[in-house]
Amino acid sequence: MSQINRSDSRGENSLGLIAGNGRFPFLLLDAARAQGLRVVVAAIKEETDPEMNERARVDEGVTVHWMSLGDLSKLIEMFQREGVTRAVMAGQVKHKQIFSSIRPDWRLAKLLLNLRTRNTDMLLGAVAKVLEDEGIALMSSTAYLEPMLAPVGVTTERGPDEVELADIAYGMKVARGIAGFDLGQTVVIAAGACVAVEAMEGTDATIARAGEIMRGLEQEASTLERRLTVVKVAKPKQDMRFDVPVVGAPTIEAMRAAGATCLCVEAGRTLVFDREAMVAAANAAGIAVVGEAVGG
């Protein structure tokens, strides 16, 4: 299936949505529709939830085109055919998927060959430049979701204690360091020791790995505090058009399962999905959640 729904409207009232996985694309879709925009969705076969078809079926203002991750030419041609001149990327595309599973078309293959380094920022930045050259401006993925950005301060019933505050301070330094190399955005700290660093596996898998490491110490003498603090930041020069840090109730569930007791995110540059549900889950688990302004 290549297309769902039909619409002939064009011009400034149209927004292209390159949809990855998770709820992010749906939240952005709802926000754009609330502003009266017609939304043309480029749904990625390997990532996008099939529910996107239902959204198009019940809403004439939504058109969905399905394509594979490597179909850069098809994406451009579809947007041009639909009259789209502005687009956003929303939703995760797994890092390992980007560099292993895709079969690039000629345009994407050429782009990949010309990359100096094969990290996510470099690739998506290059894709954004190609889109711009074809008359399609890639906008910030938070353009319609600013109220969902994490605020400064504690958002849960419990704030971080002294041990957790020390781990946050250390974790922020480490996280900003790895984020600067586009390796990941999350670190997990215990008593001033870095237990896990995110790479291609994603935040929840990093938290789970930290929990496994700590459980592996249970039968051994250890000076490490058993409690884990999770720190998630934006990159120092975060391009808000893609790969924006995201947390939500699933993050809290991953922390609870791993034995983590504190979450610190970068305020103003981290999206919080379903905030009420996330805070409720954190309170129920005794997890402290705090937003810290970092800048830069």
Side-chain angles (χ1 to χ4, degrees), residues 37-101:
L37 293 174
R38 168 185 174 250
V39 181
V40 179
V41 181
I44 300 171
K45 293 177 182 177
E46 298 86 351
E47 297 286 355
T48 311
D49 192 319
E51 182 190 335
M52 195 61 75
N53 282 343
E54 179 63 17
R55 292 297 185 94
R57 189 185 70 79
V58 300
D59 186 347
E60 290 185 348
V62 179
T63 304
V64 178
H65 299 262
W66 288 89
M67 58 193 66
S68 291
L69 196 56
D71 292 336
L72 183 55
S73 293
K74 184 176 179 180
L75 171 70
I76 292 169
E77 291 163 6
M78 181 273 289
F79 276 161
Q80 290 175 334
R81 189 169 63 250
E82 290 281 2
V84 169
T85 59
R86 298 176 299 153
V88 292
M89 289 183 179
Q92 183 191 44
V93 173
K94 300 180 187 70
H95 289 200
K96 62 182 181 181
Q97 184 101 286
I98 292 174
F99 296 111
S100 63
S101 299

Coordinates of all heavy atoms in Angstrom, one line a residue, residues 37-101:
L37 N -3.6 22.6 9.9 CA -2.7 22.2 8.8 C -3.1 20.9 8.2 O -3.5 19.9 8.9 CB -1.3 22.1 9.3 CG -0.6 23.4 9.7 CD1 0.7 23.2 10.4 CD2 -0.5 24.4 8.6
R38 N -3.0 20.8 6.9 CA -3.1 19.5 6.2 C -1.7 18.8 6.4 O -0.7 19.4 6.2 CB -3.4 19.7 4.7 CG -3.2 18.5 3.8 CD -3.4 18.8 2.4 NE -3.1 17.7 1.5 CZ -2.0 17.6 0.7 NH1 -1.2 18.6 0.7 NH2 -1.8 16.5 0.0
V39 N -1.8 17.5 6.8 CA -0.5 16.8 7.1 C -0.3 15.7 6.1 O -1.2 14.8 5.9 CB -0.5 16.3 8.5 CG1 0.8 15.5 8.8 CG2 -0.7 17.4 9.5
V40 N 0.8 15.7 5.4 CA 1.2 14.6 4.5 C 2.3 13.8 5.2 O 3.4 14.2 5.5 CB 1.7 15.2 3.2 CG1 2.2 14.1 2.2 CG2 0.7 16.1 2.5
V41 N 1.9 12.5 5.5 CA 2.8 11.7 6.3 C 3.6 10.8 5.4 O 3.1 10.0 4.6 CB 2.0 10.8 7.3 CG1 2.9 10.0 8.2 CG2 1.1 11.7 8.2
A42 N 4.9 10.8 5.6 CA 5.8 9.8 5.0 C 6.1 8.8 6.1 O 6.8 9.0 7.0 CB 7.2 10.4 4.6
A43 N 5.3 7.7 6.0 CA 5.4 6.6 7.0 C 6.5 5.6 6.7 O 6.5 5.1 5.5 CB 4.0 5.9 7.1
I44 N 7.4 5.3 7.6 CA 8.5 4.4 7.3 C 8.1 3.0 7.6 O 7.7 2.7 8.8 CB 9.7 4.8 8.2 CG1 10.1 6.2 7.8 CG2 10.9 3.8 8.0 CD1 11.2 6.8 8.7
K45 N 8.1 2.1 6.6 CA 7.6 0.8 6.8 C 8.3 0.0 8.0 O 7.6 -0.8 8.6 CB 7.9 0.0 5.5 CG 7.0 0.4 4.3 CD 7.4 -0.4 3.1 CE 6.7 0.1 1.8 NZ 7.1 -0.6 0.6
E46 N 9.6 0.3 8.2 CA 10.3 -0.4 9.2 C 10.0 0.2 10.6 O 10.5 -0.4 11.6 CB 11.8 -0.3 8.9 CG 12.2 -1.0 7.6 CD 12.2 -0.1 6.4 OE1 11.6 1.0 6.5 OE2 12.7 -0.5 5.4
E47 N 9.4 1.3 10.7 CA 9.3 2.0 12.0 C 7.8 2.4 12.4 O 7.4 2.3 13.5 CB 10.2 3.2 12.0 CG 11.7 2.9 11.9 CD 12.3 2.3 13.1 OE1 11.6 2.2 14.2 OE2 13.4 1.9 13.1
T48 N 7.1 3.0 11.5 CA 5.9 3.7 11.8 C 4.7 2.8 12.2 O 4.6 1.7 11.6 CB 5.4 4.6 10.6 OG1 6.5 5.4 10.2 CG2 4.2 5.5 11.1
D49 N 4.0 3.1 13.3 CA 2.9 2.3 13.7 C 1.8 2.3 12.7 O 1.4 3.3 12.1 CB 2.3 2.9 15.0 CG 1.4 2.0 15.7 OD1 0.5 1.4 15.1 OD2 1.4 2.0 17.0
P50 N 1.3 1.1 12.3 CA 0.2 1.0 11.3 C -1.1 1.8 11.7 O -1.9 2.0 10.8 CB -0.1 -0.5 11.3 CG 1.1 -1.2 11.7 CD 1.7 -0.2 12.8
E51 N -1.2 2.2 12.9 CA -2.3 3.0 13.3 C -2.4 4.3 12.5 O -3.5 4.9 12.4 CB -2.2 3.4 14.8 CG -3.3 4.2 15.4 CD -3.1 4.8 16.7 OE1 -2.2 4.2 17.5 OE2 -3.7 5.8 17.1
M52 N -1.3 4.7 11.9 CA -1.3 5.9 11.1 C -2.3 5.8 9.9 O -2.9 6.8 9.5 CB 0.1 6.2 10.5 CG 0.3 7.5 9.9 SD 0.1 8.9 11.1 CE 1.7 8.7 12.1
N53 N -2.5 4.6 9.4 CA -3.5 4.4 8.4 C -4.9 4.8 8.9 O -5.7 5.4 8.2 CB -3.6 2.9 7.9 CG -2.4 2.6 7.0 OD1 -1.8 3.5 6.4 ND2 -2.2 1.3 6.8
E54 N -5.2 4.4 10.2 CA -6.5 4.7 10.7 C -6.7 6.2 10.9 O -7.8 6.7 10.6 CB -6.7 4.0 12.1 CG -8.0 4.3 12.8 CD -9.2 3.8 12.0 OE1 -9.0 2.9 11.1 OE2 -10.3 4.2 12.4
R55 N -5.6 6.9 11.3 CA -5.7 8.4 11.4 C -6.1 9.0 10.0 O -6.9 9.9 9.9 CB -4.4 8.9 11.8 CG -4.1 8.6 13.3 CD -5.1 9.2 14.3 NE -4.6 8.9 15.6 CZ -3.9 9.8 16.4 NH1 -3.6 11.0 15.9 NH2 -3.6 9.5 17.6
A56 N -5.5 8.5 9.0 CA -5.8 9.0 7.6 C -7.2 8.6 7.2 O -7.9 9.4 6.5 CB -4.8 8.4 6.6
R57 N -7.7 7.4 7.6 CA -9.0 7.0 7.2 C -10.1 7.9 7.8 O -11.1 8.1 7.1 CB -9.2 5.5 7.6 CG -10.5 4.9 7.1 CD -10.7 3.5 7.7 NE -11.1 3.6 9.1 CZ -12.3 3.8 9.5 NH1 -13.3 4.1 8.7 NH2 -12.6 3.8 10.8
V58 N -9.9 8.4 9.0 CA -11.0 9.1 9.7 C -10.8 10.6 9.5 O -11.7 11.4 10.0 CB -11.1 8.7 11.2 CG1 -11.4 7.2 11.3 CG2 -9.8 9.1 11.9
D59 N -9.7 11.1 8.9 CA -9.5 12.5 8.9 C -9.0 12.9 7.4 O -7.9 12.5 7.0 CB -8.3 12.9 9.9 CG -8.1 14.4 10.0 OD1 -8.6 15.1 9.1 OD2 -7.4 14.8 10.9
E60 N -9.9 13.6 6.7 CA -9.5 14.0 5.4 C -8.3 14.9 5.3 O -7.7 15.0 4.2 CB -10.7 14.8 4.8 CG -11.9 13.9 4.5 CD -13.0 14.7 3.8 OE1 -12.9 16.0 3.7 OE2 -14.0 14.1 3.3
G61 N -7.9 15.5 6.4 CA -6.7 16.4 6.4 C -5.4 15.7 6.5 O -4.4 16.3 6.6
V62 N -5.5 14.3 6.6 CA -4.3 13.5 6.7 C -4.1 12.6 5.5 O -5.0 11.9 5.2 CB -4.3 12.7 8.0 CG1 -3.0 11.8 8.1 CG2 -4.4 13.6 9.2
T63 N -3.0 12.6 4.9 CA -2.6 11.7 3.8 C -1.4 10.9 4.2 O -0.4 11.5 4.7 CB -2.4 12.5 2.5 OG1 -3.5 13.3 2.2 CG2 -2.1 11.5 1.3
V64 N -1.4 9.6 4.0 CA -0.3 8.8 4.4 C 0.3 8.1 3.1 O -0.4 7.5 2.3 CB -0.7 7.7 5.4 CG1 0.5 6.8 5.8 CG2 -1.2 8.4 6.6
H65 N 1.6 8.2 3.0 CA 2.4 7.4 2.0 C 3.4 6.5 2.7 O 4.2 7.0 3.5 CB 3.1 8.4 1.0 CG 2.2 9.3 0.3 ND1 1.8 9.0 -1.1 CD2 1.6 10.5 0.6 CE1 1.1 10.0 -1.5 NE2 0.9 10.9 -0.5
W66 N 3.4 5.2 2.4 CA 4.3 4.3 3.0 C 5.6 4.1 2.1 O 5.4 4.0 0.9 CB 3.7 3.0 3.3 CG 2.7 3.0 4.4 CD1 1.3 3.4 4.3 CD2 2.9 2.8 5.8 NE1 0.7 3.4 5.5 CE2 1.7 3.0 6.4 CE3 4.0 2.5 6.5 CZ2 1.5 2.9 7.8 CZ3 3.9 2.4 7.9 CH2 2.7 2.6 8.5
M67 N 6.7 4.1 2.8 CA 8.0 3.9 2.0 C 9.0 3.3 2.9 O 8.9 3.4 4.2 CB 8.5 5.2 1.4 CG 8.7 6.3 2.4 SD 8.9 7.9 1.6 CE 7.3 8.2 0.9
S68 N 10.1 2.7 2.4 CA 11.1 2.2 3.2 C 12.1 3.2 3.6 O 12.2 4.3 3.0 CB 11.9 1.1 2.3 OG 11.0 0.0 2.2
L69 N 12.9 2.9 4.6 CA 13.8 3.8 5.2 C 14.8 4.4 4.2 O 15.3 5.5 4.3 CB 14.6 3.2 6.3 CG 15.3 4.0 7.3 CD1 14.4 5.1 8.0 CD2 15.9 3.1 8.4
G70 N 15.2 3.6 3.2 CA 16.2 4.0 2.2 C 15.7 4.8 1.0 O 16.4 5.2 0.1
D71 N 14.3 5.1 1.0 CA 13.7 5.7 -0.2 C 13.8 7.2 -0.2 O 12.7 7.9 -0.2 CB 12.3 5.2 -0.3 CG 12.1 3.7 -0.7 OD1 13.1 3.2 -1.3 OD2 11.1 3.2 -0.4
L72 N 15.0 7.8 -0.2 CA 15.1 9.2 -0.2 C 14.5 9.9 -1.4 O 13.8 10.9 -1.3 CB 16.6 9.6 0.0 CG 16.9 11.1 0.1 CD1 16.1 11.7 1.3 CD2 18.4 11.3 0.4
S73 N 14.8 9.3 -2.6 CA 14.2 9.9 -3.8 C 12.7 9.9 -3.8 O 12.0 10.8 -4.2 CB 14.8 9.2 -5.0 OG 16.1 9.4 -5.2
K74 N 12.1 8.8 -3.4 CA 10.7 8.6 -3.3 C 10.1 9.6 -2.4 O 9.0 10.2 -2.6 CB 10.3 7.2 -2.9 CG 8.9 6.9 -2.9 CD 8.6 5.4 -2.6 CE 7.1 5.0 -2.5 NZ 6.9 3.6 -2.2
L75 N 10.8 9.8 -1.2 CA 10.3 10.8 -0.2 C 10.2 12.2 -0.9 O 9.2 12.9 -0.7 CB 11.2 10.8 1.0 CG 11.0 11.9 2.0 CD1 9.7 11.7 2.8 CD2 12.2 12.0 3.0
I76 N 11.3 12.6 -1.5 CA 11.3 13.9 -2.1 C 10.3 14.1 -3.2 O 9.5 15.1 -3.2 CB 12.7 14.2 -2.7 CG1 13.8 14.3 -1.6 CG2 12.8 15.5 -3.6 CD1 15.2 14.3 -2.0
E77 N 10.2 13.1 -4.1 CA 9.2 13.2 -5.2 C 7.8 13.2 -4.6 O 6.9 13.9 -5.2 CB 9.4 12.0 -6.1 CG 10.7 12.0 -6.9 CD 11.1 10.7 -7.5 OE1 10.3 9.7 -7.4 OE2 12.2 10.6 -8.0
M78 N 7.5 12.5 -3.6 CA 6.2 12.4 -3.0 C 5.8 13.8 -2.4 O 4.8 14.4 -2.6 CB 6.1 11.4 -1.9 CG 4.7 11.2 -1.3 SD 4.5 12.3 0.2 CE 5.5 11.6 1.4
F79 N 6.7 14.4 -1.6 CA 6.5 15.7 -1.0 C 6.3 16.8 -2.1 O 5.4 17.6 -2.0 CB 7.6 16.1 -0.1 CG 7.5 15.6 1.3 CD1 8.7 15.5 2.1 CD2 6.3 15.1 1.8 CE1 8.6 15.0 3.4 CE2 6.2 14.6 3.1 CZ 7.4 14.6 3.9
Q80 N 7.1 16.7 -3.2 CA 7.0 17.7 -4.2 C 5.6 17.5 -4.9 O 4.9 18.5 -5.3 CB 8.1 17.5 -5.2 CG 9.4 18.0 -4.6 CD 10.6 17.8 -5.6 OE1 10.6 16.9 -6.4 NE2 11.7 18.5 -5.4
R81 N 5.2 16.3 -5.2 CA 3.9 16.0 -5.8 C 2.8 16.5 -5.0 O 1.7 16.9 -5.5 CB 3.8 14.5 -6.1 CG 2.6 14.1 -6.9 CD 2.8 12.6 -7.3 NE 2.7 11.7 -6.2 CZ 3.8 11.0 -5.8 NH1 5.0 11.1 -6.4 NH2 3.7 10.2 -4.7
E82 N 2.9 16.4 -3.6 CA 1.9 16.8 -2.7 C 1.9 18.3 -2.4 O 1.1 18.8 -1.7 CB 2.0 16.0 -1.4 CG 1.6 14.6 -1.5 CD 0.1 14.3 -1.5 OE1 -0.6 15.3 -1.5 OE2 -0.3 13.2 -1.6
G83 N 2.9 19.0 -3.0 CA 3.0 20.5 -2.7 C 3.6 20.8 -1.4 O 3.4 21.9 -0.9
V84 N 4.3 19.9 -0.7 CA 4.9 20.2 0.6 C 6.2 20.9 0.5 O 7.1 20.5 -0.2 CB 5.1 18.8 1.3 CG1 5.9 19.0 2.6 CG2 3.8 18.1 1.7
T85 N 6.3 22.1 1.2 CA 7.5 22.8 1.3 C 8.1 22.9 2.7 O 9.2 23.4 2.8 CB 7.3 24.3 0.7 OG1 6.2 24.9 1.5 CG2 6.8 24.2 -0.7
R86 N 7.3 22.4 3.7 CA 7.8 22.4 5.1 C 7.6 21.0 5.6 O 6.5 20.4 5.4 CB 7.1 23.4 5.9 CG 7.2 24.8 5.5 CD 6.3 25.7 6.4 NE 4.9 25.3 6.3 CZ 4.0 25.5 7.2 NH1 4.3 26.0 8.4 NH2 2.7 25.2 7.0
A87 N 8.6 20.5 6.3 CA 8.4 19.1 6.9 C 9.1 19.0 8.3 O 9.9 19.9 8.6 CB 9.0 18.1 5.9
V88 N 8.7 18.0 9.0 CA 9.3 17.8 10.3 C 9.6 16.3 10.4 O 8.9 15.4 9.8 CB 8.4 18.2 11.5 CG1 8.2 19.7 11.6 CG2 7.0 17.5 11.4
M89 N 10.6 15.9 11.2 CA 10.9 14.5 11.5 C 10.4 14.3 12.9 O 10.7 15.1 13.8 CB 12.4 14.2 11.5 CG 12.9 14.2 10.1 SD 14.7 13.7 10.2 CE 15.1 13.8 8.4
A90 N 9.6 13.2 13.2 CA 9.1 12.9 14.5 C 9.1 11.4 14.7 O 8.7 10.7 13.9 CB 7.7 13.5 14.7
G91 N 9.6 11.0 15.9 CA 9.6 9.6 16.2 C 11.0 9.0 15.9 O 11.8 9.4 15.0
Q92 N 11.4 8.1 16.8 CA 12.7 7.5 16.7 C 12.8 6.6 15.5 O 11.9 5.9 15.1 CB 12.9 6.6 17.9 CG 14.3 6.0 18.0 CD 14.4 5.0 19.1 OE1 13.5 4.2 19.3 NE2 15.5 5.0 19.9
V93 N 14.0 6.6 14.9 CA 14.4 5.6 13.9 C 15.7 5.0 14.6 O 16.6 5.7 14.9 CB 14.8 6.2 12.6 CG1 15.4 5.1 11.7 CG2 13.6 6.8 11.9
K94 N 15.6 3.7 14.9 CA 16.7 3.0 15.6 C 18.0 3.2 15.0 O 18.1 3.0 13.8 CB 16.4 1.6 15.8 CG 15.1 1.2 16.5 CD 14.9 -0.3 16.6 CE 13.5 -0.6 17.2 NZ 12.4 -0.3 16.3
H95 N 19.0 3.6 15.7 CA 20.3 3.9 15.2 C 20.9 2.7 14.4 O 21.4 2.9 13.3 CB 21.3 4.3 16.3 CG 21.0 5.7 16.9 ND1 21.9 6.4 17.6 CD2 19.9 6.4 16.9 CE1 21.4 7.5 18.0 NE2 20.1 7.6 17.5
K96 N 20.7 1.5 15.0 CA 21.3 0.4 14.3 C 20.5 0.1 13.0 O 21.1 -0.5 12.1 CB 21.3 -0.9 15.2 CG 19.9 -1.3 15.7 CD 20.0 -2.5 16.6 CE 18.6 -3.0 17.0 NZ 18.7 -4.1 18.0
Q97 N 19.3 0.5 13.0 CA 18.5 0.3 11.7 C 19.0 1.2 10.6 O 19.1 0.8 9.5 CB 17.0 0.7 12.0 CG 16.1 0.5 10.9 CD 15.3 -0.8 11.0 OE1 15.8 -1.9 10.8 NE2 14.0 -0.6 11.4
I98 N 19.4 2.4 11.0 CA 19.9 3.4 10.0 C 21.1 2.8 9.3 O 21.3 3.0 8.1 CB 20.2 4.7 10.7 CG1 18.9 5.4 11.2 CG2 20.9 5.7 9.7 CD1 19.2 6.7 12.0
F99 N 22.0 2.2 10.0 CA 23.2 1.8 9.4 C 23.3 0.3 9.1 O 24.4 -0.2 8.7 CB 24.4 2.2 10.4 CG 24.5 3.6 10.6 CD1 24.2 4.2 11.8 CD2 24.9 4.5 9.6 CE1 24.3 5.6 12.0 CE2 25.0 5.8 9.7 CZ 24.7 6.4 10.9
S100 N 22.2 -0.5 9.2 CA 22.3 -1.9 8.9 C 21.2 -2.4 8.0 O 21.5 -3.1 7.1 CB 22.4 -2.7 10.2 OG 21.2 -2.6 10.9
S101 N 20.0 -2.0 8.3 CA 18.8 -2.7 7.7 C 18.4 -2.0 6.4 O 17.7 -2.7 5.6 CB 17.6 -2.6 8.7 OG 17.9 -3.4 9.8

